[in-house]
Amino acid sequence: MKTDIKALTYEQLNNELSEMSLPKFRTKQIFQWLHKFGCSSFDDMTNISKDLREKLSEKYYISSCAIEDKYESKLDDTVKYLFRLYDGEYIESVVMKYKYGYTICVSSQVGCKMGCTFCASTLAGFKRNLTAGEIESQLHSAQNDLNIKISHIVLMGIGEPLDNFDNVISFLKNVNDENGLNISMRNITLSTCGIVPRIYDLMNLDLQLTLTISLHAPNDEIRSRTMPVNRKYNIDELLTACKAYAKKTGRRVSFEYTLIKGVNDSERDALELASKLSGMLSHVNLIPVNDVEERGNVRGSKQDIIKFQSVLKSKGINATIRRTLGSDINASCGQLRRLKNRGDK
Ligand code: SAH
């Protein structure tokens, strides 16, 4: 079994290459080929001897993402990719253009185990974790295809990043590395459904990234019904972890709240949410639910959403409504992989 060389951090690569008795400058060269230039073949590493390239390819492979399908929004500059991996599995990424630059939303797993009732990613089932190299390859493939430089990353695609902790951390180190894409941690957002012990693990690494929590409910009754993870780690445990995280890292924690008509969007829900978050340095991002065919979740009217926001604000809770990009191309993750697996596309 060969190892994904792109999944190794600089330090790990350096250790492996020194075991092969290679000088230190080789680490830098090879790391730059893999991460800065997104090289997907050892043969393209032109300043490395043929002998060494052969040796490397006997021991390692370089992960990549092939573009299976590409959808360009006619409403905005959003581009969505369906990528095919070496084993025929599919993942999705979305590139969005903002005033401050390009943001990519990447997948961290093939499928998801978390089982949230409103989400498409769970429907097609969990297959496997992505390697750190496969997570990063989404950036390389999109950058090459669009001829752009991506400056921001959100881990909000298919999968639960904290359920693939070690690979996600290696990915973060690699994209942040000055010999790689050199993307600042402050430009990276990691979203989790709330795997509490891993939030503490992340906190202890003291990275300067933004942590955002998919909260989606004001109490355990609703949250356990819609997000099974809550039966293991309830809202109080989750918020205690968030407070500890904010204190240790000095970074404000954000909350995603997808509004589903008749499920979690009443005035009472808004008041209960406000009281749960009071006294905490927080920000709530309200997202109108994207209905996924089989799920039957209904989006409220614009007025319903504005009303929910104003109740939060009246209680001193910072809340914004997420702008929907790429709504004509199924831009929310999980939808394309599901259609592909069902054979609809
Ligand atoms: N597993 C991680 C990363 C996925 S992020 C997490 O749960 O945070 C994707 C975000 O989109 C999450 O906040 C998720 O709850 C939300 N989401 C999933 N399905 C959705 C839908 N149908 N409409 C709106 N938001 C949805």
Side-chain angles (χ1 to χ4, degrees):
M1 269 293 266
K2 293 186 188 181
T3 316
D4 178 9
I5 193 170
K6 208 163 152 178
L8 303 175
T9 61
Y10 196 95
E11 201 186 337
Q12 289 167 335
L13 181 67
N14 197 46
N15 290 342
E16 300 222 356
L17 297 184
S18 59
E19 272 172 30
M20 291 166 76
S21 309
L22 292 170
K24 276 203 160 27
F25 74 90
R26 289 286 180 213
T27 308
K28 188 167 172 173
Q29 283 178 327
I30 295 170
F31 192 92
Q32 286 187 341
W33 279 119
L34 293 169
H35 300 280
K36 192 171 187 171
F37 305 116
C39 205
S40 55
S41 159
F42 289 107
D43 288 335
D44 297 338
M45 302 184 176
T46 47
N47 56 1
I48 289 170
S49 74
K50 199 156 181 265
D51 251 18
L52 177 54
R53 291 191 323 239
E54 255 162 38
K55 238 195 226 161
L56 290 171
S57 62
E58 279 161 20
K59 199 165 169 200
Y60 302 105
Y61 73 95
I62 305 175
S63 54
S64 60
C65 289
I67 300 174
E68 174 78 8
D69 280 319
K70 175 182 175 185
Y71 304 84
E72 289 162 282
S73 172
K74 291 185 182 65
L75 307 173
D76 46 63
D77 288 311
T78 305
V79 180
K80 175 146 192 173
Y81 291 99
L82 182 70
F83 288 124
R84 196 182 59 256
L85 304 172
Y86 74 94
D87 56 356
E89 293 295 343
Y90 297 106
I91 51 167
E92 298 170 35
S93 318
V94 185
V95 178
M96 292 152 288
K97 191 176 176 188
Y98 290 102
K99 276 190 233 90
Y100 49 77
Y102 288 95
T103 297
I104 189 165
C105 172
V106 294
S107 297
S108 56
Q109 297 178 310
V110 181
C112 187
K113 297 178 207 156
M114 298 298 127
C116 301
T117 58
F118 41 79
C119 182
S121 297
T122 291
L123 286 170
F126 175 80
K127 276 288 165 51
R128 63 174 177 89
N129 282 328
L130 295 183
T131 67
E134 287 173 323
I135 307 175
E136 187 181 349
S137 292
Q138 300 168 59
L139 276 96
H140 291 137
S141 293
Q143 285 201 154
N144 279 346
D145 182 55
L146 298 171
N147 203 15
I148 55 166
K149 170 90 179 94
I150 290 168
S151 57
H152 291 67
I153 303 172
V154 296
L155 282 138
M156 291 192 181
I158 298 174
E160 167 49 49
L162 297 188
D163 186 41
N164 184 15
F165 192 84
D166 294 345
N167 294 349
V168 164
I169 298 303
S170 296
F171 157 76
L172 293 172
K173 285 184 180 161
N174 286 343
V175 288
N176 182 236
D177 200 291
E178 58 179 10
N179 285 303
L181 291 169
N182 199 12
I183 295 177
S184 157
M185 282 289 176
R186 289 184 174 264
N187 291 358
I188 302 178
T189 299
L190 186 150
S191 179
T192 178
C193 64
I195 303 184
V196 168
R198 297 289 89 73
I199 293 176
Y200 287 106
D201 292 342
L202 188 68
M203 172 184 94
N204 289 328
L205 294 173
D206 210 359
L207 306 173
Q208 285 299 296
L209 53 75
T210 302
L211 176 66
T212 157
I213 307 289
S214 294
L215 192 59
H216 306 322
N219 58 48
D220 286 325
E221 198 263 304
I222 299 176
R223 196 163 194 268
S224 291
R225 206 167 356 110
T226 50
M227 301 181 69
V229 68
N230 197 71
R231 297 175 207 152
K232 201 155 180 195
Y233 311 109
N234 67 25
I235 296 185
D236 283 346
E237 290 171 87
L238 179 57
L239 294 182
T240 303
C242 292
K243 284 174 196 155
Y245 186 95
K247 193 164 174 217
K248 170 98 193 270
T249 61
R251 310 276 298 158
R252 181 179 76 173
V253 176
S254 304
F255 296 94
E256 308 281 312
Y257 195 102
T258 294
L259 288 159
I260 310 169
K261 196 173 168 68
V263 174
N264 63 359
D265 71 336
S266 70
E267 186 173 347
R268 219 177 103 208
D269 295 331
L271 288 169
E272 198 172 359
L273 178 64
S275 85
K276 274 265 170 338
L277 298 180
S278 75
M280 201 180 157
L281 200 60
S282 68
H283 174 260
V284 178
N285 217 336
L286 297 170
I287 312 165
V289 72
N290 259 308
D291 189 28
V292 179
E293 215 178 296
E294 293 93 324
R295 299 302 208 187
N297 288 312
V298 180
R299 183 185 283 199
S301 67
K302 200 160 184 187
Q303 275 148 316
D304 292 342
I305 297 167
I306 292 171
K307 173 106 194 287
F308 197 94
Q309 180 191 31
S310 65
V311 174
L312 291 179
K313 282 188 165 169
S314 73
K315 296 288 169 188
I317 306 289
N318 201 333
T320 48
I321 300 172
R322 160 92 48 91
R323 194 158 63 101
T324 339
L325 291 178
S327 52
D328 56 334
I329 53 166
N330 270 342
S332 3
C333 276
Q335 307 192 25
L336 294 180
R337 172 173 178 256
R338 187 177 58 95
L339 295 176
K340 189 87 194 173
N341 286 353
R342 266 188 358 191
D344 289 10
K345 282 253 158 189

